[in-house]
Every structure is written in C-alpha cells, then in structure tokens.
Amino acid sequence: MTARIREFLRTRREDGPCMVLDLDVVRDNYNAFARALPDTRVFYAVKANPSPEVLHLLATLGSCFDTASVAEIEMALAAGATADRISFGNTIKKERDVARAYALGIRLFAVDCLAEVEKIARAAPGSKVFCRILCDGAGAEWPLSRKFGCVPEMAADVLEHAHRNGLEAYGVSFHVGSQQRNTEAWDQALASSAAIFRECAERGITLSMVNLGGGFPTKYLKEVPAVERYGDSIFQALSKHFGNRLPETIIEPGRGMVGNAGLIEAEVVLISKKSEDDDVRWVYLDIGKFGGLAETMDESIRYPIRTRHDGDEMTPCVLAGPTCDSADVMYEKEPYPLPVSLSIGDKVLIEGAGAYTTTYSAVAFNGFPPLRSYVI
Amino acid sequence: MTARIREFLRTRREDGPCMVLDLDVVRDNYNAFARALPDTRVFYAVKANPSPEVLHLLATLGSCFDTASVAEIEMALAAGATADRISFGNTIKKERDVARAYALGIRLFAVDCLAEVEKIARAAPGSKVFCRILCDGAGAEWPLSRKFGCVPEMAADVLEHAHRNGLEAYGVSFHVGSQQRNTEAWDQALASSAAIFRECAERGITLSMVNLGGGFPTKYLKEVPAVERYGDSIFQALSKHFGNRLPETIIEPGRGMVGNAGLIEAEVVLISKKSEDDDVRWVYLDIGKFGGLAETMDESIRYPIRTRHDGDEMTPCVLAGPTCDSADVMYEKEPYPLPVSLSIGDKVLIEGAGAYTTTYSAVAFNGFPPLRSYVI
C-alpha cells in the first residue's frame, strides 16, 4: 500500500472491486532489473498487465516487450515501442498472425517445433527465431506445464531447420517457472542452452542469444529474494556454462515488474457458517476466481489480505467469490486466517495484485478477443 | 450440428473461433422439460447462456428465470420476463443489490444463513425466501463444492428467522451437482427437504416450495438419460417423501436447456511433438481454457470434437489453447484421440458448447462486470 494508492482509494467514488496500480513502483522495479542485470535487455511480458499507462512508462524507460498476440504487439506499438523492441514470444501462432506481425515490423519470433519454423519462414522471411526448451520448474510456486518448448535434444534440429529455411537461428529460450523463489533455478537450463550453442556451432550455426524468460517473483505472504540476488546467480551460471564467451541475454519479467505495484480493494459480501458447530467461517468477497483472482486456482498464489481489523484475534476462513459458480472458491483446502471481528460490508485490501488480475477478469485475456457468439 | 448451424458456418465471413447456437434446439429442450415435469415451473439459469435471443425465446415460451446478480435480473426483464417470474438465486448478495432487485419488483430470494436473511428482511421486506441446503452431488460429472447451502439440520432455523423477520419462509432448495447422470440423485435431498417441511410445520411455519435446482445433463461424449426419466424419477421421489401433499416445485436447468443447442467452431493453430520419439501429439486450438472452454478445468467436461477427418486412424493428443498461459491446457492427463490426418489450419467443431462457454470467456461472467483498473 503506497501513499498514492491510499490517497486514491480515500477519494474514489465508484462502487465495486477495483485494482489500483502505482506507476512509481513499476519504475522502481524496472530500474532494479536494469541494475541487477546490467548487460541484459528487459522484455516486459505484456500479458501480466497490459494497461496503456504501464506500457507507456516502460517504453519511455527503454524497456522492450514480450507479446503473446497481434493485439499485444499493437498495444506495445501504441505505447511508443518501436518494432525492433518487440518479440512475438508465443510459440503458438496462426500463420496469418505471423504475417500481420511481420507487416508491423516484428522480426523476432519464438518457436518450439519444425512446423512453427516453416510458418515463420513463409510469413516472416529472414526473421530471427529462438527455440524454447522445456525446463522442469522445480522451486516455482506456479510451475509451468509442458505446453511450451521442446526437449533440449530437439532444439538444434529446430534451429538448423530455421537456418536452412532462410531464418536467422538466433538463440534459445526457457522459463524456470512463475514465482520462482530459488535463485539457482537458471543453472540447469543454462547448461542445456550452452550445449545447444555447442551443437549448433558444430553444425556451422552461430547462436547469439539466451532468453532467460521470467519467473522473477513478487512478494505475497512469503519473503522472496531481492532481484540483485537473481542477477548475481544468473551471471555466475552464465559464466560457468559459457565461459568468457557470454551470449547476448534478455529477460521477460511480468509478475516481477508489476505484481507489487497494484492492489485490489474488495468488499466482504457475506460471512456465514455451514452448520452451527462449524470451526471454519465462510467469507465471501465481491471478487473471486472469475473476476481477477484466477491465480488462486489450486490455491497456488496466496495473496496477503489486509483489513481494518488486523491485530485482532484470527480465525480460519474459507474465502470465496461472489458468483453462482461452485468453483469460485479461492482458499478452502488451506483455510485463510482472518480477524474474527471482520464484518459484512468491510473493505479488504488484496496485495501483490498488479500482475495477472485484470487480464484474467477477463476481457481480451492475453490479447485474444472474447469468444464471439451468434444466435441464429 | 443442426442444418441451420451448418448453413450459418458455411456462409460466415469473419475470422476466429465462434459459438453458434440454434434456438430451435432450445425450444425443443424447453418443451421437453415442460412435458417431463408438467407440474413444475422452469426457472432457466441465466448464467449458463445469457444471450438476449435465448432469454427472449424462453420468456415467450413461458419460462421463469434464476438469476445470479442484478445485471442478470435486468437482462431477464429486458427479454420480456415480468418480475414475478424472476428469482434472485444467488445466496451471496450485497444488501444494496437486494434493495435494487426489490426496487425492480423481485420478491423471491435464496438464502443459506441468518445474516443473509437479515439483509433481505431489511432491503426486501415481506419477500419470499427459500433456504439452500448442502447436497453431496454424488454421480455428478461436475460435483459442486460446499460453497452454497447449509447443512439440512440448520435450515429450519434459517427459515424460522426469516418468518420472525417478516419474510415469507417459502421453501427449500438444493443442487444435485452439475451434469448429473444419475436420475435417482434427487431422492436423498428430497428426503431432507421433507424433514425440513415437517420441522417447520412443528414450529408453526408452513413451507410451500421445493426448488429442485439444476443438474440436468447435456450430451458430451457419454450418453445421458432422457429428460423424461428425470421427470419420472423426481416425481416418484416427491411422492415417496411428501405423500399426497406434494409441494409446489421449480427446476433451474441451464446446461440441460442450452448445452446441446450450441457448438464452437475453432481452428488448429499448431500440431507438434515435444521430442522426436513422443507418443503424444500436442494440438493447439485458437480457443482454450480462457477463451470459453473453462469447464475443461481439471479435465471435467470432455467435449465431443468433430473434424473433417473423422473415420481416419486416431492418435492420442494433448489439447491446448492459444494463450501464453501454461495452465491453458484442456486435456493432458487423459489425452484426447484425434485423427492422425488432422492438420494445421483445419477447422474443428466442439459440440455441446451452448452452456458455460461465452459467459466464461468472460465479459461480465455471471453478470458481474469485469474488474475495473485504475493506473495512477
């Protein structure tokens, strides 16, 4: 809670839950990344929070942008980024979207298989491509699925295919898992990356870049290491695996850039018990899993929740959202302690809510338009 | 796939995934419910698909409406329903929303605890309330959580509290779990309901109504019983537990009313393997968990998927969506068989997609507006 957010909420007149984000915090975060990884370019992951004001600020500060769709590319351009500062980082793209990106000037694309390379060779000739590899994500609070990336052993074939099809085989990318609290998590993937650099060199292909992905955490309930510690650890791993021939590097922070810059103000709609002798109270807010708190899925992200009763005696609560959807329950397996004095109508502040909230609420999630509907 | 949908898709010009819904099927479904449960009023669960055309058709056919929010009440009124045909069926309501509903003429409200009764007594004096009770949901493909309802033993206290606060203690409601394929599932909850009727009668309170909820299935991959069988089974259970003093009854079909009326046309964006010797192919569509297929959560609902290659040899596939979100994977634990000849760019038809798709995609899910965002 910054002084600017407190003042904003004090004078807000509209009704209903809202997310408030302080740009000063985003500026501090950007500068911390730039200091901690001075030789690394920052590609902000637009999907984390695509507010025009955030994108504009970051463009002004010199950030580059990692985008998931043509709509996100257009947002980054509208915010003042030039096309050479934008990566089309989604490994899953329609060929006509690759062509639209190319027409907008984009020349840097992610791939993880031969078929995607062929689309880019046809629709964005001569562009740079990097190959995403799988990474186990150990230590992450939100480990990634196997959706993106190929096994490291396949990457040289993908990159050679790009090279043979007139593209620039530019490098390797990976993601160590979101909200990664282990600063050593990059080591194994950098070992794999260096091996791919060597394998490609043997095939006469010189790679240039390692995309270190995201994973930089924001503080929720548990403490997280400072960004400097990530910088030190990543630099050591790079030196260990690449020696004195360090590759060009980029990072793609999303959560780490905007998470702690925003909070959600919500309201307690109902407090009840399911039976007279229930130990646990049910607390229903006017925001839930489908209104912005999607990352409570499987109770993965536990947000800090502040109330005006903090300091009073606490009691375990199931926390749920306002919809008529039975799945709209945030914390139940591990109940959330809240003050016994919390009452219907009280406001609560959900901290660390600057990333992956508004986008999941969800108009144009990831920049994809909502499902169109025809009734005939 | 109806002839009208086929013709619509044949002449459609726009790009991108879409849901198409045939009103003729909705009309048939409404008539089937009316025939199968002739003494029961139908309250369509607006959240399943709040398209104005669907609401208007159902209002014309004589349906009533179960709503989750003031926005849904306004939609039902706009579609031509009178206020006496609308229930505010969400047990979680802000008191000022109860007052708004009351001002719009709504006089029927769901409750499951004393605090909610008190809100309604203050903001909607004299209204009818029914108490939601918990129900185990055995046999349902999408069993409900404990979010809504109290234990049956608490219901008489809640209803007596309503009575003492000037409300009409009107009845009991429960939900046997969504996509309930066991036609006997209503029996246990009706036994509990009858016990609550007796307990209230002993306290001098005459209840009138049992809300049998939803749960009526739509056909996905597995066969489901015809609605007539649900009607027979429910009538038998009512007679067994209430004898010849049958209560007034209502049902709240959502999925059963519109599920099979709609399908989604989507496109294959990418097909790949994670390693050279992978047994499973990854098939990425231009629609996923955040674009309308939210009910694939935990792989609960398995939609029938048709392609122009049906009949060819099949191979197991992981099915995923187009976003840069690692959780946007529909079927992985149990891979989905799709034709080996399926290619990038092919269209696929996802059947049974008339319910819980457009609403989850998700502009105004459940009628709640998307999270507002301020950047200061």
Side-chain angles (χ1 to χ4, degrees):
Chain A
M1 172 69 111
T2 68
R4 296 181 71 224
I5 292 178
R6 187 179 300 113
E7 179 60 19
F8 178 85
L9 288 176
R10 202 181 60 76
T11 57
R12 178 180 181 237
R13 288 286 162 266
E14 300 97 324
D15 194 28
C18 69
M19 195 279 290
V20 191
L21 185 139
D22 186 339
L23 289 175
D24 285 352
V25 181
V26 178
R27 181 182 291 107
D28 290 347
N29 289 340
Y30 180 84
N31 290 333
F33 278 117
R35 271 196 310 272
L37 292 144
D39 298 317
T40 297
R41 280 198 299 166
V42 174
F43 280 66
Y44 171 62
V46 174
K47 59 183 177 289
N49 188 325
S51 299
E53 299 91 335
V54 169
L55 301 183
H56 177 71
L57 170 68
L58 289 171
T60 307
L61 292 171
S63 186
C64 301
F65 297 90
D66 164 46
T67 62
S69 61
V70 173
E72 286 193 354
I73 291 170
E74 290 169 337
M75 288 180 217
L77 290 169
T82 48
D84 62 316
R85 285 161 60 191
I86 299 172
S87 151
F88 198 161
N90 194 340
T91 54
I92 306 146
K93 302 171 287 296
K94 290 181 181 173
E95 188 167 326
R96 53 191 185 277
D97 284 338
V98 174
R100 288 163 66 200
Y102 186 75
L104 291 169
I106 308 306
R107 297 293 181 270
L108 181 58
F109 296 87
V111 295
D112 68 358
C113 66
L114 302 183
E116 195 72 12
V117 164
E118 288 164 14
K119 288 184 204 167
I120 296 177
R122 285 189 298 264
S127 292
K128 294 175 176 172
V129 297
F130 54 90
C131 183
R132 169 94 173 241
I133 57 171
L134 286 164
C135 185
D136 75 0
E141 288 196 8
W142 183 273
L144 305 188
S145 69
R146 286 166 54 85
K147 182 175 177 188
F148 309 104
C150 59
V151 296
E153 297 70 34
M154 204 170 111
D157 290 345
V158 171
L159 289 162
E160 184 178 358
H161 197 60
H163 178 74
R164 290 183 187 279
N165 278 274
L167 297 169
E168 180 175 348
Y170 189 53
V172 174
S173 79
F174 56 83
H175 197 297
V176 296
S178 197
Q179 187 68 4
Q180 177 55 265
R181 292 164 63 227
N182 175 11
T183 60
E184 313 287 321
W186 281 256
D187 184 74
Q188 181 57 48
L190 282 170
S192 299
S193 302
I196 295 163
F197 270 59
R198 288 192 298 272
E199 171 70 23
C200 283
E202 283 174 21
R203 302 186 193 186
I205 300 163
T206 308
L207 301 182
S208 307
M209 185 272 288
V210 176
N211 177 343
L212 303 159
F216 305 96
T218 203
K219 188 184 171 303
Y220 297 111
L221 287 175
K222 296 178 196 157
E223 288 299 324
V224 297
V227 68
E228 291 72 24
R229 288 198 37 216
Y230 288 88
D232 291 346
S233 183
I234 287 171
F235 182 76
Q236 280 171 29
L238 277 166
S239 303
K240 172 175 154 194
H241 298 296
F242 286 88
N244 58 1
R245 302 183 61 180
L246 290 188
E248 178 187 334
T249 49
I250 70 179
I251 52 171
E252 298 174 333
R255 189 187 306 281
M257 187 72 84
V258 293
N260 66 338
L263 64 71
I264 287 171
E265 184 185 64
E267 180 179 330
V268 177
V269 181
L270 182 64
I271 300 176
S272 68
K273 290 190 167 193
K274 296 292 164 189
S275 66
E276 315 278 2
D277 53 356
D278 218 342
D279 289 337
V280 172
R281 302 204 301 173
W282 281 67
V283 174
Y284 300 91
L285 302 181
D286 63 357
I287 185 170
K289 223 181 219 173
F290 304 105
L293 302 179
E295 288 205 319
T296 57
M297 194 191 302
D298 300 328
E299 313 199 5
S300 305
I301 297 289
R302 280 179 88 80
Y303 293 97
I305 300 177
R306 306 288 169 221
T307 77
R308 67 187 177 91
H309 305 286
D310 289 351
D312 289 3
E313 187 194 342
M314 305 291 255
T315 180
C317 297
V318 175
L319 199 71
T323 66
C324 263
D325 195 299
S326 168
D328 187 12
V329 176
M330 282 83 84
Y331 305 121
E332 182 178 15
K333 273 177 271 175
E334 193 184 338
Y336 198 103
L338 288 169
V340 283
S341 45
L342 189 69
S343 305
I344 293 172
D346 276 346
K347 291 283 164 58
V348 302
L349 298 174
I350 303 170
E351 295 183 339
Y356 300 113
T357 50
T358 52
T359 45
Y360 273 119
S361 71
V363 183
F365 178 65
N366 255 242
F368 295 89
L371 183 63
R372 283 190 206 96
S373 168
Y374 304 100
V375 180
I376 54 172
Chain B
M1 171 69 111
T2 68
R4 296 181 71 224
I5 292 179
R6 187 179 299 111
E7 179 60 19
F8 177 86
L9 287 175
R10 203 182 59 75
T11 57
R12 178 181 182 235
R13 288 287 161 268
E14 300 97 322
D15 195 29
C18 69
M19 194 279 289
V20 190
L21 185 139
D22 186 339
L23 289 177
D24 286 353
V25 181
V26 179
R27 183 181 290 105
D28 291 347
N29 290 339
Y30 180 84
N31 291 332
F33 277 116
R35 270 195 312 273
L37 292 144
D39 299 316
T40 297
R41 283 198 298 167
V42 174
F43 280 67
Y44 171 62
V46 174
K47 59 184 176 288
N49 188 325
S51 298
E53 299 90 337
V54 170
L55 301 184
H56 178 70
L57 170 68
L58 289 171
T60 307
L61 292 171
S63 186
C64 302
F65 296 89
D66 164 47
T67 62
S69 61
V70 172
E72 286 193 354
I73 291 169
E74 290 169 337
M75 289 181 216
L77 290 169
T82 47
D84 61 318
R85 285 161 61 193
I86 299 172
S87 147
F88 198 161
N90 194 340
T91 53
I92 306 147
K93 301 172 288 296
K94 289 181 182 172
E95 188 167 327
R96 55 190 184 275
D97 285 338
V98 174
R100 287 162 67 200
Y102 185 75
L104 291 168
I106 308 305
R107 298 291 182 269
L108 181 57
F109 296 87
V111 296
D112 69 356
C113 66
L114 303 183
E116 195 72 13
V117 164
E118 288 164 14
K119 288 184 204 168
I120 295 176
R122 284 188 298 263
S127 292
K128 294 175 176 173
V129 297
F130 54 90
C131 183
R132 169 95 174 240
I133 57 172
L134 286 163
C135 184
D136 75 0
E141 287 195 10
W142 183 275
L144 305 188
S145 69
R146 286 167 53 85
K147 182 175 176 186
F148 308 104
C150 60
V151 295
E153 297 70 32
M154 202 171 110
D157 290 344
V158 171
L159 289 163
E160 185 178 356
H161 198 60
H163 178 74
R164 291 182 186 278
N165 278 273
L167 297 169
E168 182 176 347
Y170 189 53
V172 174
S173 79
F174 56 82
H175 197 298
V176 295
S178 198
Q179 188 68 8
Q180 176 57 266
R181 291 164 62 229
N182 174 13
T183 60
E184 313 289 320
W186 280 257
D187 184 73
Q188 180 58 48
L190 282 170
S192 299
S193 301
I196 296 164
F197 271 59
R198 287 191 299 272
E199 170 71 23
C200 283
E202 285 174 20
R203 301 188 193 186
I205 300 163
T206 307
L207 301 182
S208 308
M209 186 273 289
V210 176
N211 177 344
L212 302 159
F216 306 96
T218 203
K219 188 184 171 302
Y220 297 112
L221 287 175
K222 296 178 196 156
E223 288 300 324
V224 296
V227 68
E228 291 73 23
R229 287 199 37 218
Y230 288 88
D232 292 346
S233 183
I234 287 171
F235 182 76
Q236 280 171 30
L238 276 167
S239 304
K240 173 174 153 195
H241 299 297
F242 285 88
N244 59 0
R245 301 183 61 179
L246 291 187
E248 179 188 333
T249 50
I250 70 178
I251 53 170
E252 298 174 333
R255 187 188 305 282
M257 186 72 84
V258 293
N260 67 337
L263 64 70
I264 286 170
E265 184 185 64
E267 180 179 330
V268 176
V269 180
L270 182 64
I271 300 176
S272 67
K273 290 190 167 191
K274 297 289 161 190
S275 66
E276 315 278 3
D277 54 356
D278 216 341
D279 290 336
V280 173
R281 303 202 301 172
W282 280 68
V283 174
Y284 300 90
L285 302 180
D286 62 357
I287 184 170
K289 223 181 222 175
F290 304 105
L293 302 179
E295 288 206 321
T296 59
M297 193 192 304
D298 300 328
E299 313 200 5
S300 306
I301 297 289
R302 281 178 88 78
Y303 292 98
I305 300 177
R306 308 289 170 219
T307 77
R308 66 188 178 90
H309 304 286
D310 290 349
D312 290 4
E313 187 193 340
M314 304 292 254
T315 180
C317 297
V318 175
L319 199 71
T323 66
C324 264
D325 195 297
S326 170
D328 187 13
V329 177
M330 282 83 82
Y331 305 121
E332 183 177 17
K333 274 177 269 175
E334 192 184 340
Y336 199 103
L338 287 168
V340 282
S341 45
L342 189 69
S343 304
I344 293 172
D346 277 346
K347 291 283 164 59
V348 302
L349 298 174
I350 302 170
E351 296 184 339
Y356 300 113
T357 51
T358 52
T359 45
Y360 273 120
S361 70
V363 183
F365 177 67
N366 254 245
F368 295 88
L371 183 63
R372 284 190 206 97
S373 168
Y374 304 100
V375 180
I376 55 171

